[in-house]
Amino acid sequence: MRTSRLIALAVRNQFLEWAGTWWFTVSLVVNYAVGPLIGLVVWSAVLPGDEVIVRYFVALTAVHLLTASFEDYTFAESVYDGTVGHQLLEPQPVVLGPAGANLAIRLWLGLFGLPLTVTVALVTGASYRWQAVLLALPSLVLAALLRFLWTWLLALTAFWTERVHAIVGFGNILVFVFGGIAAPLGDLPGSWQTAAALLPFHAMLGLPAGIAAGMLSGSGTAVALQAGWCVVLTAGAMAVWRSGVRRYTAVGA
Amino acid sequence: MNAVSVDGLSMTYRVPVREAGLKAAFRSLVHRRYREVQAVRDLSFEIPHGQVVGLLGPNGAGKTTAMKLMSGLLHPTAGSVDVLGFTPWQRRTPFLKQIALVRGSRPTGGAQELTVLDSLQYQRVLYGIPDTDYHAGLDELIGLLGLGPLLHRQLRALSLGQKMRAGLALSLLYRPKVLFLDEPTLGLDVSAATAVRRFLAEYTGQSGATVVLTSHYMADVESLCRRLILVDHGRVQYDGPLERLSAQLSPYKLLRISAPAATKENFEGVAEAVATHGVSWELRVPRDDIARVTAHLLTTLDVIDLAVEEPSLETVLDRVYREGL
Amino acid sequence: MKLLKLFATSFSLSLRQALTFRANLVFDAVLSGVALASTIATVLIIFSRTGRLAGWTQPEVLVLIGTFELLSGVKTTFVDPNLAGFPTRGVRQGQLDHHLLQPAPSMFLVSFATAAPLAGVQILLGFAVVLAGAGTSAHHPGAGAFGAWALLVLAATLTTWAVGILFASLAFWAPRLDLHSLFGSVWQLARYPADLYARPLRRLFTYVLPLAVIASAPTRALARPGSPALLLGALATTAAAVLAATVVWRAGLRRYTGAGG
């Protein structure tokens, strides 16, 4: 299929492009690992001896790395410097470029970050049932898609405003609070817990980690909800994209 | 009294050798190999106060390195430089207040989000320019450079030509005694380059500043400099007046003649025809043979018009750059 | 004196520039507020499950969060706009050359050429949280405690700047290496009490990368006053960091200008 070939090509190119800057990849790994690791330290102090919490935050570190999204850099900057104009003229959907870059960066983050996660798991003695990890995989794939769609949606605001980094920063705060980094879903106060379970942010991050840690029972509905959010955000991103391009081609660059 | 004197100046860089391939990349992590590049070797010249000198040479000749050494950005491996009585690379405050380096590749340094006027104000504080001098100097520069409409625009929003004008204003605001101009018209379109040239000619005439200028464009040099220093492979290859350069460097002159009846055969064994347009011919003739060849052609052909010219500086330099002296 | 004037000039120019975009001001203020609210919410959630965090009470952690927010504000306002991207902008694109030829110390010019004044909102918000935290504390801290806090905040500011310079200086040896974002990530570790971390990490954050003196030390001085050892230790760390930054910067500059090395 042509689309998958084009994505594979974009991934390959971006993967090679990133090979020259291993130190930057390491910075990103640290950047993405530090939030969940602080959560691990804090919540281990709050609930000493709780093995599930340790398992959850270690898994969360891996999920955070594997769902990392930087469309405010890979895409929004191309709106600001005008190169998106070239991309619009190419005979392929523009989203393929950022999507390829996204996958390539995640590959690199996984390559450097998973050994780090395994080391943390060994040091903290976190151990997983393989059934739980397998069960978490479909939800991880959906989380990865959802996080990309969310960041992409926010990055599209670059067509209207220059403050895209701040907007994506705002989105990341929501992911931080409701996604399960600040606290595991079960430790949020009552009404927050309900809100967090329904909003898409927990589905981007905490859900697969919780399943892998064996924390969540009846996660079937949560995964269904996750898939539902994927559909909603895809539709949203398509609509915003269309009106963004209309604006771009009307205003020019 | 000289404004700039350079004596036996040499600069050697050590650059890491990077081989292609992943294996070599890993090897270089452990054991890095270096190669020495001599950018400038044994350069010596003196520039009196108020002189405008063109520093010429092909890419990689060592011009920019020489400029960096004279302005104080680099420390040489050997030799000495004296600019206004200072050793540049010590970068003493009184020295820095009297010189400016303007580079066409990056005309404006500093914070790019500031407006031109803001940047000028910052310069005033940085260089401690008294109020009266500031206002007078500013008005003059705004007039000469046509900066009026640009004052409230951010540096980063300016076009290259506008940036160059702003960069010149920022550097000349504190009236430097020595001005280093590195490729000041780089990448400018014809009219922007002309504007910069006209300004520089006017400014140097008025201010009496000493100027060292490098450029790839002959027009820059021809319109501004009486004296040329030609650098190649890090060495001075010629130092003297502009007019003598082609006489000294080119063993040929150009002979243009218009002769309706002439054919190629007429020139065989006499001179080398390098171009022809209709009835006019362009011949390359060794300097010593000019009289003989001219006489020969006038007797053998029906000549309407004849002129002897020095080859253009560009042609001469092109040959020197490619073949050496 | 001249440097102070220069700093004031460049800051006021940046501020004037920033204020011309009023929508951005509102936007950044709101964003700073939301970010701070999320941090405070996290603290409240944590303390809904426990009475103490590594021996720290809720008011103490609030003071810590406020101090951290204030210092983050200082970092984003003054340090990041200048030192992040120094390897690219400064060394590879030649802005350092520009500063080297200006008649003021290069370390000063590189550090204070510009600023992001809108991020300064964060400084005010952080200070408000410090006051709120100190107000709810069981023992009300006196003027002496606030004095010690202010002194250590100043020291922490210097330390932050020095660490920024150290990270930036790496570019003299490896121009492609830009580790400022790494500094930003590791910086987050200072958000919570240094006592949370296991002993080897705590040592690392005290002696190698002085994160422990950044927010934890001033907070301690405010919350549990009367420890000259803490005060002296933190000041000594700052002095060491500034000295190291100066030495490394100079060595890097010598290398950059080809003067030996």
Side-chain angles (χ1 to χ4, degrees), chain C:
Chain C
M1 195 50 219
K2 181 193 158 191
L3 293 187
L4 210 61
K5 197 173 159 199
L6 206 54
F7 170 65
T9 307
S10 88
F11 185 73
S12 84
L13 291 176
S14 294
L15 184 64
R16 209 182 324 156
Q17 197 58 45
L19 290 180
T20 51
F21 303 101
R22 214 160 303 165
N24 290 350
L25 174 69
V26 174
F27 195 87
D28 284 25
V30 170
L31 193 72
S32 296
V34 170
L36 184 61
S38 80
T39 310
I40 292 173
T42 310
V43 172
L44 296 181
I45 294 169
I46 290 167
F47 280 95
S48 72
R49 310 286 297 182
T50 183
R52 274 170 184 271
L53 185 62
W56 293 52
T57 62
Q58 182 172 324
E60 285 171 354
V61 173
L62 278 179
V63 172
L64 178 72
I65 293 282
T67 308
F68 177 79
E69 204 66 22
L70 189 157
L71 286 165
S72 297
V74 171
K75 180 171 174 286
T76 356
T77 309
F78 298 107
V79 180
D80 292 348
N82 290 296
L83 295 181
F86 173 77
T88 311
R89 224 175 340 103
V91 175
R92 302 219 311 267
Q93 294 175 358
Q95 194 170 48
L96 178 62
D97 286 357
H98 173 76
H99 289 316
L100 283 177
L101 294 183
Q102 289 178 325
S106 63
M107 240 166 125
F108 172 87
L109 291 169
V110 163
S111 308
F112 298 107
T114 182
L118 296 190
V121 176
Q122 223 183 329
I123 302 177
L124 300 178
L125 290 174
F127 190 63
V129 175
V130 171
L131 290 181
T136 55
S137 155
H139 57 276
H140 290 286
F146 266 108
W149 175 84
L151 181 67
L152 289 187
V153 164
L154 203 66
T157 303
L158 276 173
T159 309
T160 307
W161 167 75
V163 174
I165 287 280
L166 281 169
F167 272 97
S169 300
L170 289 177
F172 290 123
W173 285 271
R176 286 175 58 85
L177 207 62
D178 189 346
L179 293 185
H180 194 86
S181 61
L182 186 66
F183 176 33
S185 313
V186 179
W187 171 262
Q188 297 297 328
L189 294 170
R191 190 188 289 274
Y192 287 98
D195 301 314
L196 270 178
Y197 303 107
R199 186 186 284 265
L201 280 181
R202 211 159 59 216
R203 287 257 163 87
L204 183 75
F205 297 152
T206 308
Y207 300 109
V208 182
L209 198 66
L211 289 171
V213 304
I214 284 182
S216 287
T219 307
R220 256 179 212 283
L222 186 66
R224 306 169 192 174
S227 167
L230 171 80
L231 213 63
L232 289 177
L235 291 178
T237 310
T238 301
V242 171
L243 186 71
T246 313
V247 168
V248 172
W249 176 263
R250 290 209 177 139
L253 214 52
R254 272 201 301 283
R255 188 188 155 85
Y256 180 78
T257 56

Side-chain angles (χ1 to χ4, degrees), chain B residues 13 18-19 25 46 63 65 100 104 131 140 152 155-156 159 168 177 193 202 247 259 261 270 278 283 292 305 316:
Chain B
Y13 292 110
R18 199 161 293 157
E19 287 153 61
E46 286 175 345
K63 299 182 307 263
T65 304
D131 272 1
E140 188 190 339
H152 297 286
L155 289 181
R156 67 150 154 249
S159 74
L168 283 169
K177 292 205 177 97
E202 203 159 328
V270 181
L283 309 171
R292 194 181 55 77
D305 189 22
V316 176

